[in-house]
Amino acid sequence: MLLSPKYRFLFVHIAKTGGTSVRSALEGLRWRDPWYYPMFLCSRFSHLSGHRIATKLPRHAKVVAAQELLPREFFDALFKFAFVRNPWDLQVSSFHHIRRERPHFLGGHETFEDFLRWKLDPRRPYQYHLDTSITLQSDYLIDLHGQVIVDFIGRYERLHEDFETACARIDIQPTALPHARKAQDRKQDYRGYYTDQTAELVASHFARDIALLDYRFDPE
């Protein structure tokens, strides 16, 4: 999550949706924001004291966390946005990311199919790096009553165009998006990773995302 009081935006960073590139493109604005420096000092003091305040929200915090912690008028005035991704494609991306950077979290499940079945097994012990990527994307966008409270939902599938739209809403010039963490060993088409059964597993687990965000296994 990236908060800018000067530019009045809140970027909600959902894992594996291009958010690292978006953060990289926007983080330079911090140095032009006079609020950044007192916010940084407050976050350091709050970290040392053990009392957390909303000067530095967690990287993958949900928008409701900011709504609960920030003053209501201030929160309502922010341009709040996030990016989402096709759930089937996201799971392939997550698999390659974990295999490349944290292979010990594979749990001995070396193929995508075996790993996905294990990952979506509710009896599996909780692991942050696994469970962040199977948390519903819609959970990051809604308040405690289930209402979407972000102002703009961009899509990974048109990341550059939607980032330009977000920049226009923030009233800044769009900067080039760096391509971070690109997997070199994955097939381009996520559909090649799935059987009918594993595709249905994802469809069932992410049913609310698929309905709200209008995704399909076979995009039109």
Side-chain angles (χ1 to χ4, degrees):
M1 188 171 280
L2 191 63
L3 170 66
S4 175
K6 177 179 179 179
Y7 295 95
R8 293 185 173 274
F9 73 79
L10 179 73
F11 169 55
V12 181
H13 184 175
I14 303 173
K16 309 308 299 173
T17 62
T20 299
S21 295
V22 172
R23 286 181 65 94
S24 296
L26 294 176
E27 279 184 322
L29 297 176
R30 286 180 166 185
W31 307 110
R32 302 181 228 164
D33 193 335
W35 285 100
Y36 172 71
Y37 303 98
M39 286 170 63
F40 175 79
L41 289 174
C42 287
S43 71
R44 295 307 301 163
F45 282 127
S46 69
H47 177 75
L48 292 171
S49 69
H51 179 69
R52 299 297 180 132
I53 57 178
T55 54
K56 187 177 186 303
L57 292 154
R59 184 181 186 88
H60 294 302
K62 299 176 177 65
V63 69
V64 70
Q67 184 187 46
E68 293 296 303
L69 289 168
L70 294 169
R72 177 53 58 91
E73 289 185 3
F74 178 77
F75 176 83
D76 288 344
L78 295 170
F79 170 62
K80 300 168 284 290
F81 69 105
F83 283 84
V84 296
R85 186 173 186 172
N86 182 303
W88 290 277
D89 186 34
L90 189 151
Q91 292 310 308
V92 173
S93 176
S94 174
F95 169 69
H96 281 284
H97 171 76
I98 291 170
R99 188 169 69 172
R100 183 177 65 251
E101 300 191 14
R102 296 181 175 89
H104 53 289
F105 285 132
L106 290 174
H109 304 277
E110 298 296 328
T111 68
F112 174 73
E113 180 173 351
D114 287 346
F115 179 66
L116 182 67
R117 290 182 182 279
W118 177 69
K119 186 181 185 182
L120 295 178
D121 186 343
R123 297 167 297 181
R124 172 183 55 77
Y126 175 83
Q127 291 278 5
Y128 172 79
H129 293 290
L130 303 183
D131 288 84
T132 298
S133 62
I134 61 172
T135 299
L136 295 181
Q137 296 177 71
S138 51
D139 283 351
Y140 288 87
L141 312 174
I142 60 176
D143 63 14
L144 294 175
H145 305 288
Q147 300 299 310
V148 174
I149 56 172
V150 297
D151 303 300
F152 177 69
I153 301 173
R155 291 179 181 263
Y156 177 86
E157 295 77 22
R158 52 174 189 254
L159 181 63
H160 294 273
E161 298 89 337
D162 284 354
F163 179 65
E164 289 184 0
T165 299
C167 289
R169 295 282 297 272
I170 298 169
D171 197 22
I172 61 171
Q173 287 296 317
T175 58
L177 283 173
H179 195 111
R181 301 178 177 178
K182 183 177 181 180
Q184 301 297 325
D185 55 347
R186 66 160 287 180
K187 304 171 188 175
Q188 291 302 307
D189 191 335
Y190 63 85
R191 291 171 294 185
Y193 287 83
Y194 287 93
T195 64
D196 290 344
Q197 292 75 25
T198 53
E200 182 55 36
L201 279 177
V202 172
S204 177
H205 183 86
F206 295 98
R208 179 149 56 91
D209 284 356
I210 291 164
L212 176 67
L213 304 173
D214 195 27
Y215 275 114
R216 300 289 184 271
F217 182 72
D218 290 304
E220 295 179 359

